[in-house]
């Protein structure tokens, strides 16, 4: 019997077994067996290319958020709640076997949310689809590390270790060192540790904001909830009881640090209801491209009101860096 058939047999048996105290133990065993076979589905097959298939999901929208966590912490339940995409959830591990994208619409922005298979210790060394999952995490603007509030803190440090072992630095700022290999010129713009210096030379580090989301708080006491909620970069939620999801969105928005730009036409008020949403550090040229493909080539100058300029308005060129909530009026040749 192949793995898929075995899985299907177990699923059928679970479906026809009544749920009660007497069958609880048996159901538990069945679910453990199911998780074992599903984990085997995640293992890269020997016949396929040595690297195994990646999860190639097109980047879309204004930003990308990856859901990373151990199996069965509630990642898929969360995706199904926050987006119009349904991702299958189940009370057994390794329900999700691939990358499932959804879109969160928030404050006029489209945020791509990626549900991923659960990862386990050893993921970075290729356990399960660990490598592929981590590769997707690298492409995100923010990582949501989803944790089961009923489980201990080791889950958090284990996952952090996995990500750090492949050069993903969470909630750390990139060391401000300028390094140009050709000339071998090094300029320390701040005090740095040897490790930080090595990171810059090796050059494959990514620095990423990470939000620790403790799910299933409906299962723990108020005191425990309170304790988790006070941890840095952490939010407590319950997908099951839809608790604190609004607050999580607010935090996520903050961590994404997107820049909202308002346009205005000459002699008119700014279009405050229709912001252009860009990544941090976006220039006037980025704004032009967003309005119309050919606008940058017809560009003469722009007037900008807001925190990015010394005067309001100020005449600026294409390379000027915009800041959050600036207003811009573009003047064509
Ligand atoms: N009590 C409680 N259960 C939850 C909550 N959120 C999700 N669950 C349950 O947890 C189980 C796992 O949920 P999933 O969404 O499949 O978890 P996952 O992280 O996607 O799991 P994998 O895809 O297997 O890695 C399901 O039985 C959910 O119903 C919650 O807030 N509270
Ligand atoms: K699951
Ligand atoms: Mg899942």
């Amino acid at each position: 019997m192949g793995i898929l058939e075995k899985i299907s047999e177990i699923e059928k048996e679970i479906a026809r077994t009544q749920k009660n105290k007497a069958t609880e133990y048996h159901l538990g065993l069945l679910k453990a067996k199911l998780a074992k076979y599903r984990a085997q589905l995640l293992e890269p097959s020997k016949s396929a290319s040595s690297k195994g298939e990646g999860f190639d999901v097109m980047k879309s929208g204004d930003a990308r958020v990856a859901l990373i966590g151990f199996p069965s912490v509630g990642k898929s339940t969360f995706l199904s709640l926050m987006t119009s995409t349904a991702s299958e959830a189940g009370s057994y591990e390794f329900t999700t076997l691939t990358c499932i994208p959804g879109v969160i619409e928030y404050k006029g922005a489209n945020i791509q949310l990626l549900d991923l298979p659960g990862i386990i210790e050893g993921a970075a060394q290729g356990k399960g689809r660990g490598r592929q999952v981590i590769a997707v995490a690298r492409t995100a603007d923010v990582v949501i590390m989803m944790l089961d509030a009923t489980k201990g803190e080791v889950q958090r440090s284990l996952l952090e270790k996995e990500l750090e072992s492949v050069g993903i630095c969470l909630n750390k700022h990139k060391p401000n060192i300028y390094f140009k290999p050709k000339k071998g010129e090094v300029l320390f713009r701040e005090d740095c540790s040897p490790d930080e210096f090595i990171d810059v030379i090796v050059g494959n580090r990514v620095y990423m904001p990470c939000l620790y989301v403790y799910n299933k708080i409906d299962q723990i006491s108020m005191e425990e909830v309170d304790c988790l909620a006070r941890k840095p970069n952490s939010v407590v939620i319950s997908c099951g009881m839809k608790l604190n999801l609004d607050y999580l969105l607010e935090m996520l928005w903050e961590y994404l640090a997107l820049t909202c730009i308002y346009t205005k036409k000459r002699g008119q008020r700014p279009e405050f209801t229709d912001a252009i949403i860009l990544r941090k550090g976006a220039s006037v040229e980025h704004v032009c491209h967003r309005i119309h493909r050919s606008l940058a080539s017809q560009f003469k100058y722009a007037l900008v009101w807001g925190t990015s300029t010394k005067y309001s308005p100020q005449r600026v060129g294409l390379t000027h860096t915009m800041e959050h909530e600036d207003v811009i009026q573009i003047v064509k040749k």
Side-chain angles (χ1 to χ4, degrees):
M1 226 196 304
I3 293 184
L4 286 172
E5 281 170 299
K6 286 180 190 160
I7 287 176
S8 149
E9 288 291 306
I10 299 169
E11 278 172 346
K12 274 187 217 145
E13 192 175 342
I14 290 177
R16 64 170 180 260
T17 307
Q18 274 196 16
K19 268 191 207 146
N20 57 45
K21 267 270 170 268
T23 59
E24 204 173 279
Y25 180 71
H26 181 58
L27 274 172
L29 287 182
L30 286 174
K31 282 179 186 172
K33 233 180 179 179
L34 185 57
K36 190 183 99 191
Y37 289 130
R38 294 191 70 89
Q40 282 174 19
L41 283 183
L42 275 174
E43 288 301 331
S45 68
K46 302 253 167 7
S47 55
S49 75
S50 58
K51 278 185 179 169
E53 264 175 80
F55 304 130
D56 280 328
V57 172
M58 266 253 283
K59 261 203 177 183
S60 79
D62 302 300
R64 171 179 265 197
V65 177
L67 280 168
I68 299 293
F70 278 104
S72 273
V73 293
K75 300 178 294 296
S76 303
T77 309
F78 180 71
L79 182 100
S80 301
L81 260 183
M82 307 306 276
T83 73
S84 56
T85 305
S87 183
E88 197 189 333
S91 57
Y92 49 89
E93 300 191 339
F94 303 108
T95 306
T96 308
L97 299 174
T98 183
C99 177
I100 313 231
V103 179
I104 300 178
E105 286 167 36
Y106 189 67
K107 294 196 180 182
N110 289 328
I111 303 162
Q112 186 181 45
L113 181 67
L114 301 180
D115 183 21
L116 287 157
I119 61 171
I120 42 183
E121 208 179 346
Q125 272 71 52
K127 210 148 189 212
R129 284 280 170 89
R131 278 226 179 97
Q132 288 93 323
V133 171
I134 291 170
V136 171
R138 277 184 94 89
T139 67
D141 298 294
V142 167
V143 164
I144 287 186
M145 193 179 283
M146 191 159 276
L147 301 156
D148 186 330
T150 67
K151 306 241 167 94
E153 272 297 278
V154 293
Q155 39 166 0
R156 178 167 168 168
S157 47
L158 277 175
L159 284 180
E160 282 171 337
K161 248 193 249 155
E162 290 292 332
L163 296 184
E164 275 173 23
S165 75
V166 290
I168 301 180
C169 306
L170 303 174
N171 297 328
K172 285 189 192 133
H173 89 284
K174 188 174 181 161
N176 191 5
I177 308 171
Y178 169 81
F179 176 66
K180 197 170 180 182
K182 270 187 201 158
K183 288 186 189 166
E185 184 184 327
V186 181
L187 179 61
F188 285 85
R189 295 199 182 109
E190 65 183 10
D191 276 348
C192 291
S193 68
D195 277 353
E196 283 177 330
F197 181 54
I198 290 164
D199 288 353
V200 170
I201 293 177
V202 174
N204 68 345
R205 300 277 152 148
V206 285
Y207 292 82
M208 207 170 279
C210 172
L211 202 50
Y212 298 94
V213 174
Y214 290 90
N215 185 31
K216 309 195 185 182
I217 55 164
D218 51 287
Q219 302 288 314
I220 59 174
S221 71
M222 280 308 286
E223 290 74 24
E224 287 168 314
V225 171
D226 189 57
C227 179
L228 292 176
R230 285 170 197 277
K231 290 183 183 293
N233 308 307
S234 301
V235 183
V236 294
I237 63 164
S238 162
C239 290
M241 296 187 68
K242 300 198 175 124
L243 294 176
N244 221 19
L245 299 173
D246 289 345
Y247 179 65
L248 169 53
L249 275 181
E250 273 174 45
M251 286 281 278
L252 184 59
W253 182 253
E254 223 177 88
Y255 276 53
L256 284 167
L258 292 170
T259 304
C260 300
I261 307 293
Y262 305 104
T263 56
K264 94 174 216 44
K265 293 200 175 91
R266 200 179 147 193
Q268 290 182 17
R269 288 167 157 274
E271 307 258 5
F272 285 124
T273 51
D274 192 13
I276 292 178
I277 292 157
L278 298 163
R279 286 193 165 78
K280 211 176 195 166
S283 66
V284 171
E285 193 168 2
H286 288 116
V287 178
C288 288
H289 283 305
R290 195 56 82 78
I291 298 170
H292 193 273
R293 252 192 302 172
S294 66
L295 187 55
S297 59
Q298 300 166 297
F299 179 91
K300 195 168 167 195
Y301 64 89
L303 293 173
V304 173
W305 291 254
T307 52
S308 72
T309 58
K310 202 165 165 190
Y311 310 104
S312 276
Q314 187 172 315
R315 229 174 121 140
V316 300
L318 281 175
T319 56
H320 176 76
T321 303
M322 303 297 292
E323 271 174 26
H324 185 51
E325 298 192 320
D326 278 353
V327 171
I328 188 168
Q329 179 189 323
I330 291 165
V331 180
K332 291 198 257 184
K333 279 180 205 157

